[in-house]
Amino acid sequence: MTRPDFAALKPDLRGLAALPGAVAAAGKGDDALLRFIVQEFEREGFVIEGADKVVRGLTIDEGPLGAHAPSADHGTDIDRAMRAARALGALDVGQAAVCARGVILALEAQEGTDAMLRRCAELPATLRGSPGAPVGVLAKAPKPIQDRRVDLPTIGPDTVLAAAQAGLAGIVGEAGGLLIVDRAAVIAQADALGLFVYGLPPDRGQ
């Protein structure tokens, strides 16, 4: 999503009353802005529900999603990437990190996951894997401070393809805390490319 240009908005009276608070919250980070917006809707009597509560099966379960699973050799990369993603989230910066051979290759900020993975694909071959010899993982984790009804980390088929093009071996996320868009296509894409997509216990990387 693109942040709104507050100067270009033409709010009604209710929106005008909320605008100063929204601008102030936006200066504190995306999570602060989303929490403010949710609270404003709740003040008007709306009930906010997470997409995963409305539609069953949207989040990843613990274990492999598809035919492939990480080996013990991936353990260090998984742990480091998850710790980095959680630390990044605590700062309300992003929700994803990439680690290969124990080295953090990229952290997600405002550019989003796909753009971050494209940056990884441009790194020297000595730092990353290749489609024929994949190395490393993409980890996505909810921000520790966030309202989990909104803005859970998400992957889809395009994420899987971008991870493969970056030379990664797989994608991991917190079980119950990672949304899967088009689950069947994600599984088919990961299986075809030889990547693992794996749900971790909620305390992994904390």
Side-chain angles (χ1 to χ4, degrees), residues 68-157:
H68 305 288
S71 68
D73 293 339
H74 296 114
T76 297
D77 287 342
I78 289 172
D79 288 337
R80 294 211 68 193
M82 282 298 290
R83 283 198 298 271
R86 292 190 189 283
L88 198 64
L91 296 172
D92 197 7
V93 174
Q95 298 174 313
V98 174
C99 183
R101 301 186 183 95
V103 176
I104 298 296
L105 299 187
L107 300 173
E108 179 192 49
Q110 289 296 312
E111 81 275 30
T113 303
D114 289 346
M116 179 190 67
L117 291 171
R118 287 194 293 270
R119 284 195 284 115
C120 288
E122 295 173 354
L123 290 172
T126 53
L127 294 177
R128 60 177 178 84
S130 65
V135 175
V137 300
L138 163 68
K140 301 199 73 171
K143 296 175 181 177
I145 58 173
Q146 82 177 81
D147 183 337
R148 292 197 176 204
R149 294 175 297 175
V150 293
D151 196 33
L152 278 180
T154 305
I155 66 168

Side-chain angles (χ1 to χ4, degrees), residues 2-41:
T2 302
R3 273 190 171 220
D5 179 0
F6 291 110
L9 295 179
K10 297 179 180 178
D12 59 13
L13 289 177
R14 178 65 181 86
L16 191 62
L19 191 57
V23 173
K28 299 176 183 177
D30 288 347
D31 184 67
L33 176 58
L34 285 170
R35 278 189 278 115
F36 176 83
I37 293 171
V38 166
Q39 289 167 6
E40 288 299 301
F41 275 102

